[in-house]
Amino acid sequence: MTKLSNRRPSMVTLISQALHSLEPETGAVVPSIQPAATYARDENYEIRQPYWYRRDGSQTTAQAEAIIATLEEAEQSLLFSSGMSACTAVIESLPTGTHVVAPKVMYHGVLQQFQNYEANGRLSVTYYDAGDLESLVSAVESQETALVWVETPNNPNWEVTDISKAAEIAHKAGAKLLTDCTGTPPCMTRALELGADISFHSATKYLNGHSDVTAGVLSVNHVDKHWEDIENIRKLQGTVLHSFDAWLLIRGMRTLFLRVEKSSSNAMAVAAHFENHRHIELVMYPGLASHSGHEIAKRQTNGQFGGMLSIIVKGTEQTAIDVARYCQLFYPATSLGGVESLVEHRKTVSGDGFPVHPRLLRLSIGIEDADDLIDDLEQALAKAIDE
Ligand SMILES: *Cc1c(COP(=O)(O)O)cnc(C)c1O
């Protein structure tokens, strides 16, 4: 083994220690929170670099950004007050008339935003079938595309798109590739390395992991004019992540690797248990060998498959809602990626205009005991179907 003094500590060590952020004045092993909204000029009336007003960014937020940039091996990361404000900054940065391609089934907030920008005549959007590269090729070829939006695995069907191949398709057409890999955080998928130009994550989910912050992050490994425009939108819209939230996010990220490992093994146990269950029509989880994206996921998500899966319950739409209602350990709540397991009847949330199976329940598997989670679903299914 190489001595540590001769090599860089591994990613797990760097992130667990929040980049070893020892405070020189005090020796504190966790960073302090700096909440100032404004900063005084120096004796020459010059701005003290790098901060002068919090809408541009702050020290605590920059510390969180440095951790994510390390995870992503990015040149720069920018944190926003939510995933949606990060996505909206990218969409807003596109000149009027730009052609974008996006999946037909994706996170409903982003889809709504594309539909709004289309309705206002700001953008034209062609939608492709998520996980289907041929459909992506035809969508890109239909016009002069500037941005390809890939969500992998996509919400709530967990179809997997090969990021390297999507990057080839986008780049051949002269377009940029943006990936939303919120379901598989950067300890699993390093999108920039695979060819994405902009990597997006809702940090509300796995990166924070404790359901107590909303945040979004964009990362690039090549800072250009477009990136500066996006940063300027964040500044002018005032959507930078607040220092307190950045601090919670730093604390959450220190256990990222552990949490994701446990969520992944729990989700695998739940998926395997219910795959051929008499009350379940289909389990959608890339970790199952029967899943169409399994082989790509194996390569792309670092041998783990994450904590997100969906199940199609037998019976009626009401049966599915009942299962969600009858769970005692799973919280019947939206969101994902926290330490506690959540169950959600997705159609109730995304509404009628969104293509989602009426009997689909989305499960965000946390870090509890896997057998407890399985038992909870068993009793809810029995109550909803057998009784
Ligand atoms: C949650 C989520 C978003 C939006 O992020 P917020 O932090 O809720 O604003 C975008 N994409 C995916 C895949 C998500 O799960």
Side-chain angles (χ1 to χ4, degrees):
M1 219 174 106
T2 339
K3 284 223 306 284
L4 184 60
S5 55
N6 298 333
R7 64 178 175 88
R8 192 176 183 244
S10 72
M11 192 67 87
V12 178
T13 304
L14 289 171
I15 303 306
S16 312
Q17 298 195 342
L19 310 183
H20 206 88
S21 50
L22 187 75
E23 294 219 324
E25 312 86 54
T26 63
V29 300
V30 296
S32 47
I33 306 176
Q34 178 41 264
T38 190
Y39 297 77
R41 290 171 177 254
D42 69 10
E43 62 279 10
N44 299 316
Y45 208 67
E46 298 292 334
I47 288 168
R48 282 178 234 250
Q49 294 297 336
Y51 307 109
W52 80 299
Y53 189 56
R54 229 238 328 269
R55 200 150 32 69
D56 287 14
S58 74
Q59 198 173 319
T60 313
T61 304
Q63 278 170 332
E65 287 171 343
I67 294 170
I68 299 173
T70 302
L71 264 170
E72 291 267 39
E73 298 201 59
E75 183 178 341
Q76 208 181 336
S77 298
L78 291 175
L79 272 164
F80 291 74
S81 55
S82 69
M84 279 312 302
S85 58
C87 293
T88 302
V90 174
I91 296 171
E92 181 65 25
S93 73
L94 303 169
T96 296
T98 299
H99 181 245
V100 176
V101 304
K104 284 180 197 155
V105 176
M106 68 188 302
Y107 182 74
H108 67 126
V110 180
L111 182 63
Q112 247 181 59
Q113 204 58 312
F114 277 129
Q115 288 166 347
N116 291 340
Y117 274 69
E118 266 188 296
N120 293 338
R122 275 276 279 112
L123 298 178
S124 72
V125 187
T126 305
Y127 298 94
Y128 66 94
D129 297 314
D132 179 347
L133 289 174
E134 280 173 29
S135 167
L136 177 61
V137 169
S138 6
V140 168
E141 281 176 352
S142 66
Q143 286 186 54
E144 281 196 12
T145 308
L147 183 72
V148 171
W149 194 288
V150 162
E151 183 176 308
T152 180
N154 79 324
N155 214 309
N157 296 343
W158 316 113
E159 281 147 336
V160 180
T161 301
D162 188 321
I163 296 174
S164 319
K165 296 222 168 95
E168 267 174 43
I169 294 166
H171 296 158
K172 204 173 138 209
K176 278 190 179 179
L177 174 70
L178 180 146
T179 52
D180 177 350
C181 297
T182 295
T184 56
C187 57
M188 296 177 68
T189 299
R190 286 233 291 285
L192 297 175
E193 195 178 297
L194 294 168
D197 300 287
I198 304 177
S199 167
F200 162 75
H201 289 270
S202 164
T204 310
K205 316 293 170 54
Y206 287 101
L207 284 167
N208 180 59
H210 294 75
S211 307
D212 52 11
V213 162
T214 65
V217 65
L218 299 170
S219 304
V220 287
N221 54 21
H222 179 61
V223 168
D224 59 7
K225 166 77 172 54
H226 183 209
W227 181 249
E228 287 164 6
D229 290 346
I230 291 170
E231 184 170 11
N232 204 38
I233 289 169
R234 182 181 78 165
K235 185 193 305 187
L236 297 178
Q237 292 186 331
T239 51
V240 69
L241 186 67
H242 192 282
S243 312
F244 287 113
D245 284 346
W247 189 87
L248 281 170
L249 177 58
I250 292 170
R251 182 162 78 169
M253 287 192 292
R254 297 175 70 157
T255 55
L256 176 69
F257 282 84
L258 263 183
R259 286 186 284 103
V260 166
E261 216 175 286
K262 179 67 173 158
S263 284
S264 294
S265 65
N266 276 356
M268 186 64 103
V270 171
H273 179 88
F274 288 101
E275 190 178 11
N276 296 307
H277 192 281
R278 65 196 171 94
H279 291 331
I280 303 292
E281 189 174 301
L282 182 66
V283 176
M284 300 146 110
Y285 184 60
L288 295 175
S290 57
H291 187 279
S292 61
H294 180 68
E295 290 305 319
I296 305 163
K298 248 205 259 177
R299 277 183 273 124
Q300 197 162 274
T301 56
N302 202 15
Q304 294 175 320
F305 300 97
M308 292 310 300
L309 61 116
S310 294
I311 55 177
I312 310 260
V313 176
K314 285 185 187 164
T316 63
E317 183 172 348
Q318 188 57 42
T319 317
I321 295 172
D322 287 344
V323 173
R325 283 171 56 219
Y326 295 153
C327 281
Q328 294 173 9
L329 293 176
F330 279 84
Y331 292 93
T334 197
S335 197
L336 61 100
V339 292
E340 61 286 302
S341 294
L342 308 178
V343 56
E344 178 169 75
H345 180 247
R346 199 60 196 160
K347 188 171 166 230
T348 303
V349 175
S350 47
D352 282 334
F354 191 83
V356 59
H357 195 291
R359 286 182 278 121
L360 181 144
L361 292 178
R362 188 179 82 175
L363 305 178
S364 171
I365 304 293
I367 62 167
E368 304 95 329
D369 180 77
D371 288 338
D372 288 343
L373 298 176
I374 290 169
D375 286 353
D376 191 30
L377 285 168
E378 281 284 9
Q379 67 78 25
L381 283 163
K383 190 165 172 191
I385 296 178
D386 295 334
E387 288 173 16

